[in-house]
């Protein structure tokens, strides 16, 4: 990205490498500030608000650009002089400045408009122009935030004529900062359009990070195509690449800047790959999110590039895919497809390593599709077991993989270091306890979500022998925890994949998904069927307790107590192992 400032789709990107403002004067003189003021004026004009009426009546100009220029000139004067002094110096501004209450409201609204934008800063670590040079990455973002706050306060003080009695240190700079560099790997034929896209090296988040994507659910499944779909337009100035580790696989996730919030959120969900892990290395997974092509329809597709040994995901540009679930689930689908090819069984569920106070170790897996109550039951289990449990480590919270271990119990491995959790189904105080680490999405809407780190990369990739393997039944009342007597009986329930839809997708009512996993097994049913038979037989032969846990999360009135009752039963079983 060469531009010092870009603004699109209610998102602002400030390139500290191209230009770094370290004084209020530089802020007000910047092209970025001018564009923000122009956008604000356009916003209030379209709403015909009182702010616009006052500006239009008191500043005699005939277009938004000239209005913005005049407002900025007044702000520059207010950095130095008080309101009354400016009126004496230049009567031209008397009409605008005569009503301090109206001006204060306009300034507050501009400040509020700025803070409602998604704001990102970028530093290129391989070249420096007249922008940021020696200041550290973290300090530069902290100082920039304080500079914006000081500029806003100084202008208000010179309008009011006195200092405020209450100071609120709100984050006024960037929501997130990025250090980016250039990627070095040999792009095979068909991938040249991605060459030169800057690669994210480090991320700084100023929590709580809150985004408001336009969609609150994901729709449909990902389908396979048999030709490379990268016949699209990639403007490297508008794109970023995030190198991440999905389990043990290396993934390059390319995303358009209009979906920056989703791209940034990956840092709370997956381990970021180190430079030495991806420089001159071929990725196992390559995912392009938000590409502009000639299709009028949303394309959520994948391509198994056997020649280059790359599993390629592709989702084209549309407001309909402005939901983090599309980015997360496609990434995991690509991972699962590779696992199936290698003879491993992908699991849509959650796994925890439990260490009791008397030194007993139990590894439990709860499997189920979105909204089945996997995470909710384990969170309830964590709270209820405080007096009995010494440590509880999340191995995976949504997607994992099981690998055979000879005649011993099969081993469970994770893919993510974080969790993508529904706020609606958690204890009301949970989000507040974790606010300093979380990324929130549409917290005021149905299917509100938070993404939070829950485990270390070493923990999720170590491998744990499975002791308990349960299906999360959210639609059926009855005994909270029961076990199957045979692999055949268990396979029937697990393969059916029934659940009561909870609003995480556009599905409604009781729905069924093959093996409760539309992210890989559905696309590879024949191969997965063979793996299910092999693995479930091994579960029973090696002594894994296989059953189902009734979370009741899909039963009205039992959304909170259902997971808690199930957790109590699970705790009783853990005590006996």
């Amino acid at each position: 990205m060469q531009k010092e400032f870009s603004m699109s789709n209610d998102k602002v990107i400030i390139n500290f490498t191209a230009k770094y403002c370290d004084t209020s004067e530089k802020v007000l003189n910047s092209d970025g500030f001018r564009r923000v003021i122009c956008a604000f004026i356009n916003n209030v004009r379209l709403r015909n608000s009182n702010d616009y009426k006052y500006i239009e009546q008191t500043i005699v100009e005939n277009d938004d650009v000239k209005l913005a220029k005049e407002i900025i000139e007044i702000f520059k004067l207010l950095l130095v002089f008080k309101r009354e002094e400016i009126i004496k110096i230049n009567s031209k501004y008397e009409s605008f400045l005569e009503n301090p209450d109206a001006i204060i409201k306009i300034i507050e609204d501009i400040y509020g408009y700025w803070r409602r934008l998604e704001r990102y800063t970028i530093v290129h670590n391989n070249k420096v122009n007249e922008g940021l040079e020696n200041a550290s990455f973290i300090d530069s973002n902290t100082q920039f935030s304080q500079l914006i706050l000081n500029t806003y306060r100084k202008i208000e003080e010179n309008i009011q004529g006195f200092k405020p009695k209450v100071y609120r240190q709100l984050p006024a700079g960037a929501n997130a900062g990025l250090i980016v560099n250039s990627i070095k790997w040999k792009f095979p034929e068909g991938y040249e359009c991605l060459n030169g896209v800057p690669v994210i090296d480090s991320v700084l988040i100023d929590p709580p990070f809150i985004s408001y994507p336009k969609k609150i659910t994901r729709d449909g499944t990902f389908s396979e195509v048999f030709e490379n779909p990268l016949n699209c337009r990639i403007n490297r100035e508008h794109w970023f690449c995030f190198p991440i580790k999905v389990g043990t696989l290396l993934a390059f996730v390319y995303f358009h800047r209009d979906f920056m919030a989703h791209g940034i959120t990956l840092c709370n969900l997956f381990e970021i790959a180190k430079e030495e892990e991806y420089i001159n290395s071929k990725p196992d997974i390559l995912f392009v999110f938000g590409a502009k092509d000639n299709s009028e329809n949303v394309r959520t597709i994948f391509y198994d590039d056997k020649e280059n040994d790359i599993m390629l995901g592709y989702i084209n540009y549309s407001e309909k895919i402005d939901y983090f679930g599309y980015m997360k689930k496609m990434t995991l689908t690509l991972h699962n497809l590779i696992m199936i090819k290698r003879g491993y069984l992908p699991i849509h569920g959650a796994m925890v390593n439990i260490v009791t106070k008397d030194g007993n170790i139990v590894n439990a897996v709860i499997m189920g599709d979105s909204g089945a109550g996997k995470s909710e039951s384990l969170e309830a289990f964590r709270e209820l077991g405080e007096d009995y449990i010494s440590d509880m480590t999340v191995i995976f919270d949504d997607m994992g993989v099981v690998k055979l271990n000879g005649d011993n119990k099969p081993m469970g491995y994770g893919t993510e270091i974080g969790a993508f959790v529904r706020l609606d189904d958690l204890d009301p105080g949970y989000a507040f306890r974790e606010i300093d680490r979380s990324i929130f999405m549409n917290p005021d809407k149905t299917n509100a979500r938070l993404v939070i780190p829950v485990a270390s990369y070493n923990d999720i990739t170590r491998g744990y022998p499975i002791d308990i393997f349960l299906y999360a039944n959210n639609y059926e009342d009855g005994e909270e925890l029961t076990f199957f007597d045979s692999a055949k009986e268990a396979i029937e329930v697990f393969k059916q994949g029934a659940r009561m839809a909870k609003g995480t997708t556009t599905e409604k009512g009781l729905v069924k998904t093959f093996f409760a996993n539309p992210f890989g097994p559905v696309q590879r049913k024949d191969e997965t069927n063979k793996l299910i038979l092999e693995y479930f037989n091994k579960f029973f032969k090696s002594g894994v307790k296989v059953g189902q846990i009734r979370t009741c999360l899909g039963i009205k009135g039992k959304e909170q107590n259902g997971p808690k009752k199930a957790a109590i039963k699970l705790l009783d079983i853990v005590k006996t192992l």
Side-chain angles (χ1 to χ4, degrees):
M1 179 182 172
Q2 304 298 323
K3 296 179 181 177
E4 66 181 59
F5 184 94
S6 68
M7 188 172 183
S8 174
N9 200 29
D10 293 331
K11 294 171 180 59
V12 163
I13 301 175
I14 305 167
N15 186 347
F16 277 180
T17 303
K19 184 168 186 176
Y20 181 68
C21 296
D22 54 6
T23 66
S24 295
E25 291 77 11
K26 288 182 180 179
V27 169
L28 298 188
N29 282 320
S30 68
D31 177 66
F33 187 74
R34 177 191 62 78
R35 290 180 62 183
V36 170
I37 297 298
C38 284
F40 169 78
I41 291 173
N42 181 61
N43 180 275
V44 294
R45 176 176 55 78
L46 291 174
R47 292 189 288 112
N48 196 30
S49 72
N50 289 334
D51 286 347
Y52 186 76
K53 292 174 183 175
Y54 185 83
I55 293 170
E56 189 180 38
Q57 290 167 3
T58 57
I59 299 178
V60 184
E61 294 292 351
N62 57 10
D63 65 56
D64 291 355
V65 174
K66 292 180 179 178
L67 285 175
K69 184 179 179 181
E70 288 298 304
I71 289 172
I72 292 170
E73 288 301 316
I74 293 170
F75 286 171
K76 289 179 185 177
L77 290 170
L78 285 167
L79 283 177
V80 181
F81 303 103
K82 296 188 182 300
R83 180 180 66 89
E84 296 83 355
E85 294 172 335
I86 296 172
I87 292 173
K88 290 179 181 178
I89 293 171
N90 194 336
S91 60
K92 172 184 177 181
Y93 301 122
E94 181 176 0
S95 180
F96 180 78
L97 293 172
E98 66 179 353
N99 187 342
D101 291 338
I103 307 167
I104 289 293
K105 183 179 182 305
I106 289 171
I107 291 171
E108 289 290 343
D109 289 345
I110 291 173
Y111 182 60
Y113 176 78
W114 163 253
R115 293 192 67 247
R116 284 193 297 274
L117 297 170
E118 288 180 23
R119 309 177 306 279
Y120 305 94
T121 58
I122 294 175
V123 170
H124 292 255
N125 68 1
N126 58 345
K127 69 171 187 175
V128 177
N129 296 327
E130 60 175 328
L132 183 67
E133 190 159 5
N134 294 322
S136 75
F137 177 52
I138 295 175
D139 288 347
S140 65
N141 278 278
T142 302
Q143 292 161 9
F144 179 70
S145 181
Q146 190 61 47
L147 176 62
I148 298 298
L149 201 55
N150 291 343
T151 303
Y152 150 75
R153 285 174 177 165
K154 183 64 177 176
I155 290 171
E156 278 209 348
E157 286 173 15
N158 280 337
I159 292 169
Q160 293 173 320
F162 58 86
K163 295 182 181 293
K165 295 296 184 183
V166 178
Y167 292 92
R168 295 178 177 86
Q169 287 294 106
L170 301 174
N175 303 119
L178 305 175
I179 294 180
V180 300
N181 58 28
S182 299
I183 197 167
K184 294 178 182 177
W185 72 288
K186 189 177 180 181
F187 287 82
E189 186 177 350
Y191 296 84
E192 295 88 352
C193 62
L194 302 173
N195 202 359
V197 172
V199 180
I200 297 172
D201 177 82
S202 304
V203 179
L204 168 71
I205 296 178
D206 192 356
F209 185 103
I210 302 174
S211 65
Y212 295 90
K214 294 180 174 62
K215 302 291 288 185
I216 59 172
T217 57
R218 180 186 52 78
D219 189 18
T221 57
F222 306 119
S223 55
E224 185 172 11
V225 295
F226 300 96
E227 291 183 359
N228 188 325
L230 286 184
N231 183 21
C232 55
R233 299 182 296 278
I234 300 289
N235 181 346
R236 66 191 63 176
E237 294 289 308
H238 299 167
W239 280 78
F240 296 89
C241 171
F242 213 152
I244 58 174
K245 292 193 281 188
V246 187
T248 57
L249 302 182
L250 175 63
F252 291 167
V253 180
Y254 290 83
F255 58 90
H256 190 276
R257 68 180 182 184
D258 286 354
F259 304 104
M260 179 73 93
H262 303 322
I264 294 298
T265 301
L266 291 173
C267 75
N268 259 20
L269 195 65
F270 295 103
E271 180 79 357
I272 302 176
K274 297 181 179 67
E275 186 171 331
E276 60 268 23
E277 293 173 320
Y278 64 81
I279 290 291
N280 295 319
S281 297
K282 176 194 71 64
D284 303 292
I285 294 169
L286 200 149
F287 179 19
V288 176
F289 187 90
K292 294 182 178 179
D293 55 26
N294 297 323
S295 176
E296 296 181 0
N297 301 319
V298 174
R299 302 172 70 202
T300 54
I301 55 180
F302 68 90
Y303 169 60
D304 185 359
D305 184 353
K306 297 173 184 174
E307 181 181 348
N308 293 300
D309 192 24
I310 292 174
M311 196 65 73
L312 171 64
Y314 178 91
I315 299 180
N316 59 344
Y317 190 102
S318 171
E319 287 190 357
K320 294 179 181 178
I321 55 99
D322 189 10
Y323 174 59
F324 183 65
Y326 283 98
M327 181 173 280
K328 166 187 164 71
K329 294 299 190 182
M330 175 63 90
T331 303
L332 292 172
T333 297
L334 301 172
H335 166 274
N336 290 348
L337 291 166
I338 294 173
M339 291 297 104
I340 293 170
K341 286 177 70 174
R342 296 181 180 180
Y344 306 134
L345 184 64
I347 301 297
H348 192 192
M351 180 179 182
V352 288
N353 167 254
I354 302 160
V355 181
T356 63
K357 289 186 177 179
D358 58 9
N360 193 27
I361 299 175
V362 179
N363 300 307
V365 175
I366 302 180
M367 182 181 131
D369 206 349
S370 300
K374 311 176 294 287
S375 303
E376 293 79 6
S377 295
L378 290 176
E379 182 56 35
F381 180 86
R382 184 198 300 275
E383 293 179 3
L384 292 166
E386 283 186 354
D387 295 333
Y388 183 77
I389 296 171
S390 172
D391 289 290
M392 184 168 155
T393 304
V394 176
I395 311 308
F396 55 88
D397 182 77
D398 180 47
M399 203 73 68
V401 63
V402 179
K403 301 179 181 181
L404 296 180
N405 186 27
D407 293 330
N408 300 316
K409 292 178 179 178
M411 306 285 284
Y413 301 81
T415 55
E416 306 154 288
I417 61 168
F420 180 48
V421 188
R422 276 169 56 91
L423 277 174
D424 309 31
D425 298 321
L426 291 173
D427 176 79
Y430 182 85
F432 293 100
R433 292 195 300 271
E434 305 295 345
I435 197 169
D436 60 333
R437 301 191 302 147
S438 298
I439 294 177
F440 292 84
M441 299 174 187
N442 287 324
D444 56 334
K445 296 180 181 178
T446 303
N447 199 33
R449 293 277 186 157
L450 67 81
V451 182
I452 181 170
V454 294
S456 72
Y457 183 71
N458 287 336
D459 284 336
I460 69 169
T461 55
R462 183 176 301 154
Y464 300 80
I466 298 169
D467 300 303
I468 304 174
F469 195 86
L470 303 173
Y471 183 79
N473 179 332
N474 78 337
Y475 58 91
E476 197 174 64
D477 208 348
E479 192 173 347
E480 286 86 1
L481 186 57
T482 57
F483 291 100
F484 298 108
D485 296 322
S486 68
K488 182 179 179 182
E489 184 185 3
I491 288 172
E492 185 177 342
V493 171
F494 279 81
K495 282 175 64 173
Q496 185 175 246
R499 69 181 167 98
M500 186 66 68
K502 284 286 297 173
T504 58
T505 66
T506 55
E507 298 167 310
K508 295 181 180 179
L510 185 66
V511 295
K512 297 178 180 179
T513 306
F514 173 69
F515 201 52
N517 196 345
F519 313 109
V522 164
Q523 290 83 358
R524 294 286 189 269
K525 280 189 178 181
D526 291 342
E527 296 93 326
T528 305
N529 269 321
K530 294 175 184 177
L531 293 173
I532 291 171
L533 183 61
E534 180 182 8
Y535 277 72
F536 273 73
N537 281 328
K538 183 60 71 174
F539 286 154
F540 280 84
K541 286 180 182 178
S542 60
V544 178
K545 296 180 73 67
V546 182
Q548 63 177 327
I549 185 168
R550 292 181 172 87
T551 67
C552 299
L553 197 67
I555 300 175
K556 192 172 182 180
K558 296 193 175 185
E559 296 91 343
Q560 297 291 335
N561 288 330
K564 288 181 180 178
K565 288 182 178 180
I568 292 171
K569 282 291 184 180
L570 180 57
L571 185 59
D572 290 340
I573 295 296
V574 168
K575 290 178 180 178
T576 65
L577 294 178

